[in-house]
Amino acid sequence: SQRLVIGIFKKFVVADTLAVFALNSTLANQTTAGGWLWFMLSAYALRICFDFSGYTDIALGLGRLFGFNLPENFDKPYLKPNLTTFWNSWHITLAQWFRAYFFNPVTRALRTRSRPIPMVLIILTGQMGTMLLIGLWHGITWNFVIWGLWHGIGLFVHNRWSDALRSRL
């Protein structure tokens, strides 16, 4: 399958080559120039993109070889215009699972309480909780807690910004 070959190339040629230049603790401690740090950070971002995209293509290609039609799980997230569409196109099945089994039930429960909660707090709670859990899914360490909360805040700010623009237009 062509998808399998493309995935192998992305993972084992592109992503693994970028790993040589990608930001890590050793390179960060050895580098003092800001330009090189930005270069290594960009290489890291591209590495994880091609790594995950490559693994996704490999899985989909192998699935097709064995007669399975697996769902798409990666849709060019770095080309998306905002954080919300980014997360809707990066690890799509994980995002759908958390939306179905955490975000929707939590926000539904908060909306149907006998004592009303402002919608803005319901959205904040749902997005922060969802991204915190996704961070912890990656690893139970403080850096993933911070990562999850950071992205939860980003999604909340984007949601508020979009609603404010929508009401003005």
Side-chain angles (χ1 to χ4, degrees), residues 141-155:
T141 60
W142 283 111
N143 60 318
F144 285 116
V145 168
I146 294 166
W147 178 93
L149 293 174
W150 175 255
H151 282 273
I153 290 168
L155 287 170

Side-chain angles (χ1 to χ4, degrees), residues 4-41:
L4 176 61
V5 172
I6 290 170
I8 289 170
F9 179 79
K10 284 181 187 176
K11 165 56 185 132
F12 295 106
V13 176
V14 180
D16 286 357
T17 300
L18 285 166
V20 173
F21 307 104
L23 185 63
N24 60 44
S25 58
T26 303
L27 289 177
N29 289 330
Q30 294 175 349
T31 305
T32 57
W36 279 109
L37 287 172
W38 279 108
F39 173 78
M40 290 184 294
L41 181 62

Side-chain angles (χ1 to χ4, degrees), residues 72-113:
E72 284 296 329
N73 204 28
F74 199 79
D75 184 26
K76 302 177 189 92
Y78 286 168
L79 300 179
K80 302 303 179 200
N82 60 58
L83 193 59
T84 301
T85 55
F86 171 87
W87 280 117
N88 287 332
S89 61
W90 183 292
H91 209 322
I92 297 167
T93 55
L94 180 69
Q96 289 172 341
W97 190 92
F98 273 99
R99 190 177 299 117
Y101 294 103
F102 180 78
F103 180 84
N104 290 341
V106 165
T107 56
R108 189 176 311 111
L110 292 173
R111 283 193 320 266
T112 58
R113 287 176 36 119

Side-chain angles (χ1 to χ4, degrees), residues 105-162:
V106 165
T107 56
R108 189 176 311 111
L110 292 173
R111 283 193 320 266
T112 58
R113 287 176 36 119
S114 58
R115 292 183 62 203
I117 298 173
M119 186 54 75
V120 69
L121 289 179
I122 293 171
I123 293 168
L124 177 65
T125 302
Q127 289 178 324
M128 294 295 285
T130 301
M131 293 311 292
L132 175 63
L133 288 174
I134 289 174
L136 291 172
W137 179 85
H138 285 85
I140 302 179
T141 60
W142 283 111
N143 60 318
F144 285 116
V145 168
I146 294 166
W147 178 93
L149 293 174
W150 175 255
H151 282 273
I153 290 168
L155 287 170
F156 178 74
V157 167
H158 176 257
N159 176 276
R160 298 292 82 214
W161 178 259
S162 295

